Amino acid sequence: MGTALVYHEDMTATRLLWDDPECEIERPERLTATLDRLRQRGLEQRCLRLSAREASKEELGLVHSPEYVSLVRKTQVLGEEELQALSGQFDAIYFHPSTFHCARLAAGAGLQLVDAVLTGAVRNGLALVRPPGHHSQRAAANGFCVFNNVAIAAAHAKQKHGLHRILIVDWDVHHGQGIQYLFEDDPSVLYFSWHRYEHGRFWPFLRESDADAVGRGQGLGFTVNLPWNQVGMGNADYVAAFLHLLLPLAFEFDPELVLVSAGFDSAIGDPEGQMQATPECFAHLTHLLQVLASGRVCAMLEGGYHLESLAESVCMTVQTLLGDPAPPLSGPMVPCQSALESIQSARAAQAPYWKSLQLQDVTPVLTSPSTHSPEGRPPPLLPGGPMCKAAAPAPAPSSLLDQPCLCPAPSVRTTVALTAPDITLVLPPDVIQQEGSALREETEAWARPHESLARKEALTALGKLLYLLDGMLDGQVNSGIAATPASAAAATLDVAIQRGLSHGAQRLLCVALGQLDRPPDLAHDGRTLWLNIGGKEAAALSMFQVSTPLPVMTGGFLSCILGLVLPLAYGFQPDLVLVALGPGHGLQGPHAALLAAMLRGLAGGRVLALLEEDSTPQLAGILARVLRGEAPPSLGPSSVASPEDVQALMYLRGQLEPQWAMLQVRLIAEAWLCPGARLCRRGRWGGQGRASEC
Ligand code: X5A
Ligand code: ZN
């Protein structure tokens, strides 16, 4: 299932006719530069191109008053002076004789996109539109926005397609107050917006943009505002906001459709936003949303005024919608204190309305001496080495943006190396069944230290796994699935880790589910992060060796992934991921698929899944589909996490937070941190706990 790109050249017509420094940034080149870049990258050609149509009067009437629509219609015949006079009646608005036509196309593009996705013609898509929509209100234009494209699309999805739960994610750097007003009492639309706020000192200067505006009446808890009180928010801040605020609520809400108010003024280089997130970050945001609503994601352009940053960020979004793995994020994955404060206050404001946020923010368990000072040191070949924000300011936008994409998608996305032949029956078409095996002598040499690998079947499986792993490390294959006899699972995983590390992986993340013992001679040298889900108790042997019991309920599983696995994984920034479903893993297909799908956001999608040979072909099939980029099936309404699950998570958070900044959901007492910690955002290890290096 494909990706739609909805566009119409006519939308380049509307433009500012007079002098207005506030409005001049919203110009036609925003679309032409973006489209050119999509073509250059070969991305446009991979999409289903749809030509935008105009929204009808009735469709506009879904959210706008008839009087307002006719007022805008009349601008078609006004002269320049009258246009300017009318524009002056609104905040940050210009009208042009073509504005009505363009704005109807922009709204129509969103409707076409939603129709294409909800009729199953495509899985997802992007509408490239002007003018933007999210500031526009029932009877008012505002902030360059004339008709509220995303709100109209949401109302249409409810009315024409009978949807009951729509999530709107507004990642534009401005508050989409127009969308908030239109749905604030509607529990069928969950509206999330982050925005530059600076305690109310940034446009549109509204009290109701703050975190404590949570909706009203039936809609209480269905408006989620995350105000940024400082500029300079970057990749770590955005990813943390998704993991710790948006996604827990989104999974609990269980949307049938995700609409994105996709403004890119939240990206680095933008004159409005003054933020630091790199274009790759939008690949990750898109990737993280695609695990919802069976991947039904409709993105519509809002702001974005730095042409280079805009074009690059749109490419990242489209590439990810197409199913390509997200390029690894650059820079230290350490959220800043101001971001943490904002996330925490939004979590606190929402906690009364969402089970997934309750019980969680309890007092941390005090760190025990044994884990407070891990022997871990930064791994070799850290790009750039430790970095303090104060000492080393972020590179200028242009140099960052000039970087070529580090991770072109290999032509073969997923290979399956299985010994069981019946798997072919359930494999999606472009998944390759691997025939090759590593050389016999080599396989035997790796197997020699392990008693459980002596058997012929185990050896055969190991040969296939090694061959697959080499293909991944050489870049011929992006991801893969290998099977092994249950009795040999732990040893096979051990060999895979050693092989990965000796064959080019700098940092290897291993997520082991079920009863898989930690390899006995696993080094604490920071090159391997070992995470066992299915251990007897929550324990952190060091910051690189963590074990937690298998959560018993869906809610617990989700908080384990969002609250522990992904924060550690994003903090670690691996270049290879092993995920092993070992004895007694107990995961159902959809849970395993969700885990694999989310881990695919790491390491440029280089994920090797290791299954037991007697796993069902259905399990292998579902994993193969998510590893090649399909959306995991919906988990359905999630149960609460059990008290034991919550306790394990809280305990590990307490243990590991000082070293892994991405785990933080609230401020850590000053005493916990190294002297320079407030300013220090220097490294992938979190920048805390090792003051000597600050
Ligand atoms: C869509 C959008 C911004 C308006 C800024 C006015 N509007 N200062 O990004
Ligand atoms: Zn904006």
Side-chain angles (χ1 to χ4, degrees):
M1 282 243 285
T3 296
L5 184 66
V6 195
Y7 179 70
H8 198 293
E9 205 184 284
D10 285 2
M11 285 185 286
T12 58
T14 185
R15 64 192 169 88
L16 179 65
L17 294 173
W18 51 87
D19 214 42
D20 180 347
E22 188 175 17
C23 291
E24 69 191 8
I25 55 176
E26 204 296 291
R27 53 203 180 97
E29 292 75 22
R30 297 179 58 234
L31 289 188
T32 50
T34 302
L35 203 65
D36 285 351
R37 187 67 57 91
L38 284 168
R39 292 202 175 121
Q40 237 173 52
R41 294 281 154 86
L43 293 167
E44 187 223 24
Q45 298 84 331
R46 292 170 62 191
C47 293
L48 176 71
R49 286 285 321 255
L50 296 175
S51 178
R53 65 168 174 91
E54 290 189 323
S56 68
K57 196 202 275 182
E58 292 68 38
E59 289 164 336
L60 297 174
L62 285 169
V63 312
H64 296 289
S65 71
E67 299 76 25
Y68 174 66
V69 174
S70 34
L71 176 78
V72 181
R73 180 188 299 276
K74 284 185 198 131
T75 63
Q76 294 179 101
V77 297
L78 298 184
E80 188 175 320
E81 272 174 27
E82 296 161 303
L83 286 170
Q84 192 170 355
L86 181 65
S87 302
Q89 295 180 20
F90 300 101
D91 185 7
I93 273 294
Y94 66 84
F95 288 106
H96 177 274
S98 73
T99 296
F100 181 63
H101 176 52
C102 293
R104 282 179 71 186
L105 284 173
L111 296 172
Q112 262 180 309
L113 178 55
V114 163
D115 286 339
V117 167
L118 293 180
T119 57
V122 290
R123 179 173 56 136
N124 58 30
L126 171 77
L128 267 187
V129 300
R130 287 180 67 238
H134 70 153
H135 298 302
S136 148
Q137 297 149 38
R138 181 167 164 78
N142 182 280
F144 317 154
C145 300
V146 177
F147 297 134
N148 201 315
N149 310 318
V150 166
I152 293 169
H156 171 84
K158 285 178 60 174
Q159 200 204 45
K160 284 280 145 49
H161 297 275
L163 296 201
H164 297 108
R165 290 181 312 279
I166 299 167
L167 169 65
I168 299 178
V169 177
D170 189 338
W171 73 42
D172 186 282
V173 86
H174 300 97
H175 182 212
Q177 86 279 33
I179 302 181
Q180 174 168 313
Y181 298 155
L182 287 164
F183 297 111
E184 61 192 348
D185 60 0
D186 183 347
S188 65
V189 176
L190 172 56
Y191 176 64
F192 169 90
S193 173
W194 64 34
H195 33 267
R196 180 171 170 188
Y197 186 60
E198 296 175 297
H199 302 285
R201 287 186 285 271
F202 188 69
W203 190 92
F205 315 105
L206 300 170
R207 177 64 187 84
E208 61 269 31
S209 305
D210 211 346
D212 61 355
V214 296
R216 44 172 114 235
Q218 294 287 294
L220 271 172
F222 294 92
T223 293
V224 181
N225 283 325
L226 176 56
W228 299 126
N229 288 317
Q230 283 177 15
V231 297
M233 297 301 161
N235 298 346
D237 306 302
Y238 286 5
V239 170
F242 266 45
L243 296 183
H244 297 307
L245 176 62
L246 172 60
L247 290 175
L249 306 196
F251 275 109
E252 188 173 339
F253 182 63
D254 187 27
E256 301 156 304
L257 176 69
V258 179
L259 301 178
V260 184
S261 266
F264 298 94
D265 39 17
S266 46
I268 188 165
D270 192 279
E272 278 285 309
Q274 308 277 321
M275 299 299 179
Q276 295 278 358
T278 60
E280 297 75 38
C281 194
F282 295 91
H284 287 265
L285 303 183
T286 306
H287 170 81
L288 290 170
L289 294 181
Q290 281 183 297
V291 297
L292 300 164
S294 309
R296 286 185 210 101
V297 175
C298 295
M300 298 173 210
L301 183 64
E302 300 278 3
Y305 308 101
H306 184 291
L307 296 186
E308 178 64 23
S309 182
L310 167 67
E312 214 43 59
S313 303
V314 170
C315 283
M316 286 294 153
T317 304
V318 170
Q319 197 175 298
T320 310
L321 289 173
L322 283 163
D324 292 357
L329 288 175
S330 53
M333 287 303 277
V334 180
C336 70
Q337 289 298 305
S338 174
L340 291 172
E341 276 169 38
S342 295
I343 293 170
Q344 166 57 15
S345 68
R347 280 171 59 102
Q350 297 295 333
Y353 312 103
W354 298 95
K355 287 180 295 190
S356 51
L357 297 183
Q358 290 154 12
L359 296 168
Q360 288 217 10
D361 294 321
V362 295
T363 323
V365 179
L366 276 178
T367 318
S368 74
S370 65
T371 50
H372 200 181
S373 324
E375 312 113 66
R377 55 178 172 77
L381 301 183
L382 269 178
M387 179 180 118
C388 272
K389 199 185 188 187
S398 54
S399 68
L400 249 170
L401 295 170
D402 287 346
Q403 277 178 16
C405 170
L406 297 167
C407 252
S411 48
V412 181
R413 276 201 195 145
T414 308
T415 288
V416 174
L418 280 168
T419 40
D422 56 346
I423 186 67
T424 20
L425 301 174
V426 286
L427 288 184
D430 60 349
V431 172
I432 310 289
Q433 172 108 33
Q434 173 190 292
E435 301 294 343
S437 258
L439 292 177
R440 201 192 159 94
E441 303 82 75
E442 200 196 340
T443 309
E444 282 171 357
W446 280 105
R448 203 155 297 135
H450 302 275
E451 225 170 280
S452 61
L453 290 173
R455 272 173 54 223
K456 183 161 172 294
E457 306 84 78
L459 212 57
T460 309
L462 183 66
K464 295 198 173 206
L465 171 124
L466 290 174
Y467 187 86
L468 170 63
L469 193 54
D470 286 359
M472 289 174 58
L473 293 163
D474 297 344
Q476 287 146 9
V477 171
N478 186 240
S479 54
I481 302 174
T484 181
S487 60
T492 304
L493 185 57
D494 190 358
V495 172
I497 293 171
Q498 301 313 327
R499 176 70 183 174
L501 291 174
S502 67
H503 202 82
Q506 294 299 321
R507 284 179 304 280
L508 192 156
L509 168 65
C510 185
V511 182
L513 289 113
Q515 290 129 33
L516 281 169
D517 287 336
R518 180 172 46 90
D521 43 8
L522 194 62
H524 295 255
D525 62 359
R527 290 188 62 199
T528 313
L529 173 55
W530 167 268
L531 188 50
N532 177 216
I533 307 174
K536 284 187 205 69
E537 53 180 15
L541 206 63
S542 78
M543 71 183 281
F544 299 112
Q545 298 189 10
V546 178
S547 160
T548 190
L550 195 62
V552 287
M553 317 271 261
T554 295
F557 183 73
L558 278 169
S559 34
C560 177
I561 294 188
L562 299 175
L564 182 70
V565 179
L566 291 176
L568 291 180
Y570 269 100
F572 185 55
Q573 295 176 290
D575 51 12
L576 178 64
V577 177
L578 300 178
V579 50
L581 302 187
H585 67 76
L587 286 198
Q588 286 162 359
H591 291 97
L594 178 72
L595 176 63
M598 298 200 90
L599 286 174
R600 191 170 176 265
L602 286 307
R606 246 194 218 175
V607 177
L608 192 156
L610 185 63
L611 305 184
E612 294 175 277
E613 222 160 51
D614 53 5
S615 308
T616 62
Q618 282 73 21
L619 181 62
I622 204 174
L623 287 175
R625 286 193 295 275
V626 299
L627 288 181
R628 76 190 255 284
E630 279 182 39
S634 249
L635 296 185
S638 62
S639 54
V640 254
S642 70
E644 295 77 37
D645 294 344
V646 175
Q647 218 188 352
L649 183 63
M650 289 308 97
Y651 173 75
L652 288 173
R653 197 176 267 164
Q655 297 286 296
L656 294 164
E657 224 167 19
Q659 290 92 30
W660 293 104
M662 285 298 288
L663 285 175
Q664 285 176 236
V665 292
R666 43 148 183 65
L667 304 175
I668 299 191
E670 207 66 14
W672 284 36
L673 303 175
C674 71
R678 272 170 89 66
L679 281 173
C680 184
R681 301 178 68 182
R682 72 182 159 71
R684 57 181 89 246
W685 307 124
Q688 292 115 23
R690 283 170 301 131
S692 59
E693 288 177 38
C694 281

